[in-house]
Amino acid sequence: HEGSRRMKTELLVQMDGLLSCDTQVFVLAATNLPWELDLALLRRLEKRVLVPLPSTTARSLIMRNVLPKDRVDESLDFDQLAAQAEGYSGSDLVLVCKEAAMRP
């Protein structure tokens, strides 16, 4: 895709420009797909922190906190729902909960 290629090229050029300046710059980047990052970009990012997907307990807590309490049936088993959401990231869960909350 031409647009993403141009954007990636511009990002790499700008990051190279950061190396030549005297000012300290902190670059923070995040992705849900680290395995799809470009090798040239990875070479420029010195430190990488892998944040694992949330555990079943964490997924349950995320859903409890995001879903509006007045729209949730009291019989809903958050732990069972969290177990079924294996592989979802925190942002995935927030999006699913927001969509579910908007349903009639």
Side-chain angles (χ1 to χ4, degrees), residues 34-80:
W35 51 88
E36 291 197 15
L37 289 176
D38 184 73
L39 291 177
L41 179 62
L42 286 175
R43 281 194 300 271
R44 288 166 176 83
L45 298 172
E46 295 177 11
K47 186 162 197 124
R48 291 175 206 96
V49 178
L50 178 61
V51 178
L53 292 173
S55 65
T56 305
T57 304
R59 290 192 303 273
S60 177
L61 288 171
I62 290 169
M63 289 186 280
R64 286 176 199 272
N65 290 327
V66 174
L67 286 171
K69 292 170 184 24
D70 61 331
R71 304 237 4 195
V72 176
D73 190 316
E74 291 179 12
S75 66
L76 179 63
D77 184 355
F78 281 100
D79 294 331
Q80 180 185 8

Side-chain angles (χ1 to χ4, degrees), residues 6-18:
R6 283 197 317 246
M7 186 178 86
K8 179 178 72 171
T9 300
E10 181 63 24
L11 176 65
L12 295 176
V13 167
Q14 293 298 325
M15 288 188 76
D16 287 340
L18 290 174

